[in-house]
Amino acid sequence: MSFRARHLLGVEPLAPDEIVTLLDLAESYVSLNRRTVKHGDALDGLTQINLFFEASTRTQSSFELAGKRLGADVMNMAVAQSSVKKGETLIDTALTLNAMHPDLLVVRHPESGAVNLLAEKVNCAVINAGDGRHEHPTQALLDALTIRRAKGRLHRLTIAICGDIAHSRVARSNLILLGKMENRVRLVGPATLMPSGVAELGCEVFEDMRAGLDEADVVMMLRLQKERMDGGFIPSEREYYHRWGLDAEKLALAKPDAIVMHPGPMNRGVEIDGTIADDINRSVIQDQVEMGVAVRMAAMDLLARNLRAERGARAAGDVYV
Ligand code: ASP
């Protein structure tokens, strides 16, 4: 099996064959999830803790469902009611949870790099469910599965990632993953919402949305992340929608069979027209949600296999020491 990772902290360390292994396994979970009885046993007997320091709807609920469907004991830490509110540090919280012997720790945190730091302190497999502006690996993987199913391949596609690139971990993880799989990635949005050093990222950058969408196969819209903005990044929401919001007229410049994506939550009428988001002939936004559960099942299944193998090897080693 070609999935060697101990943790899933980002897509950056994953090789293309590991990405394909994960997506192929996720396909089998898509089928399982469409059955009436949705039980697998890949995580039987394991304990999964979800530790979310930032709000989440899709990610947390899909990790919870994914763990339960595969037989794990799943615990959602209620951070708002926990000692975090009393000033406990991230590392103390992690060490406390570690002492309860979890096998999988799913963590979302507002600081970039916080999840990597935590992974160094615990004995279980850690999954990054989004850290600041850094990475959101399972989002990029579920987007990849959605694209592969809709387009029949995950290479040589023109993919326009549009909007608030600077604050988006979704954009960053997608840019890395789609680049590894040899696609042509374009970043589209106002200069104020482009990350610094964008020129070195090796993709085309467009301020003009019409030029950026020209002949695109995939149009991926991003939320304006107001919670990460501390100044005037956009003139006004109205003006933003006019120039960078996805409406029918701008979408008409992409390929006729181009798909529309959005990681959610959406600001309808700000970055995307509600009618387009709901158009089942163009929008794959609900498919992204469905793929999210399957991809998270696959990710935890693969990490659990590696964890069991590592523990098995260690136990065997103890016998001979
Ligand atoms: N849900 C995604 C994230 O957690 C995208 C967003 O919040 O806009 O990064």
Side-chain angles (χ1 to χ4, degrees):
M1 182 195 66
S2 58
F3 190 85
R4 299 164 290 277
R6 166 92 166 69
H7 303 292
L8 183 57
L9 301 175
V11 290
E12 179 94 69
L14 296 181
D17 67 317
E18 292 181 288
I19 294 170
V20 172
T21 297
L22 195 150
L23 299 186
D24 290 348
L25 180 61
E27 278 292 350
S28 69
Y29 286 130
V30 174
S31 312
L32 178 72
N33 289 338
R34 288 182 180 179
R35 300 215 299 252
T36 309
V37 177
K38 304 168 181 65
H39 282 160
D41 60 5
L43 304 181
D44 251 0
L46 301 186
T47 299
Q48 171 192 336
I49 299 183
N50 296 333
L51 182 59
F52 279 62
F53 294 89
E54 250 189 15
S56 171
T57 307
R58 279 151 288 267
T59 307
Q60 183 166 353
S61 55
S62 60
F63 266 113
E64 182 176 354
L65 264 187
K68 286 182 171 162
R69 286 186 182 167
L70 292 181
D73 293 313
V74 184
M75 196 260 273
N76 288 306
M77 260 301 278
V79 170
Q81 282 100 51
S82 73
S83 291
V84 170
K85 288 282 158 205
K86 300 181 188 164
E88 186 171 83
T89 67
L90 169 68
I91 299 305
D92 282 337
T93 306
L95 291 177
T96 302
L97 294 176
N98 191 48
M100 298 180 194
H101 299 292
D103 303 289
L104 295 151
L105 195 54
V106 181
V107 189
R108 168 169 287 189
H109 198 277
E111 298 296 328
S112 307
V115 185
N116 290 50
L117 186 70
L118 187 146
E120 290 169 15
K121 311 280 178 196
V122 296
N123 305 321
C124 57
V126 176
I127 302 179
N128 182 0
D131 64 325
R133 312 171 179 197
H134 176 227
E135 278 237 36
H136 192 352
T138 54
Q139 177 73 48
L141 288 159
L142 75 87
D143 289 341
L145 186 60
T146 308
I147 295 172
R148 195 173 80 166
R149 289 172 68 94
K151 294 279 143 206
R153 65 178 199 273
L154 189 58
H155 58 274
R156 282 188 287 106
L157 293 166
T158 300
I159 297 161
I161 305 181
C162 311
D164 183 358
I165 314 283
H167 301 101
S168 176
R169 53 199 177 206
V170 175
R172 199 163 177 282
S173 289
N174 264 299
L175 181 59
I176 299 168
L177 189 155
L178 295 167
K180 279 182 198 276
M181 305 312 281
E182 300 189 0
N183 294 284
R184 190 166 162 203
V185 182
R186 298 174 178 169
L187 299 181
V188 184
T192 47
L193 293 178
M194 286 294 161
S196 55
V198 73
E200 288 106 71
L201 292 175
C203 49
E204 298 168 278
V205 180
F206 294 84
E207 188 157 4
D208 176 357
M209 179 120 174
R210 289 174 176 79
L213 293 198
D214 185 42
E215 289 298 302
D217 296 289
V218 176
V219 180
M220 187 182 290
M221 300 307 301
L222 299 171
R223 182 174 66 93
L224 261 188
Q225 304 212 358
K226 292 178 223 155
E227 76 276 21
R228 297 196 208 286
M229 297 182 187
D230 47 16
F233 285 87
I234 56 163
S236 71
E237 286 187 1
R238 216 183 131 106
E239 167 83 1
Y240 182 83
Y241 180 68
H242 177 67
R243 295 188 60 186
W244 292 286
L246 186 65
D247 56 17
E249 189 230 313
K250 295 190 197 89
L251 181 58
L253 295 160
K255 288 204 179 135
D257 61 351
I259 55 168
V260 174
M261 307 179 75
H262 194 302
M266 276 185 278
N267 294 308
R268 288 171 183 257
V270 178
E271 70 259 358
I272 189 166
D273 171 35
T275 320
I276 291 180
D278 297 334
D279 178 357
I280 52 164
N281 295 314
R282 304 308 295 269
S283 163
V284 293
I285 295 170
Q286 295 310 321
D287 302 87
Q288 288 174 271
V289 178
E290 181 184 3
M291 295 311 122
V293 181
V295 153
R296 288 167 179 132
M297 289 164 89
M300 292 196 287
D301 177 347
L302 292 169
L303 290 172
R305 292 185 206 193
N306 289 351
L307 192 72
R308 284 193 169 109
E310 187 190 306
R311 287 179 182 166
R314 216 184 296 140
D318 287 348
V319 172
Y320 297 106
V321 170

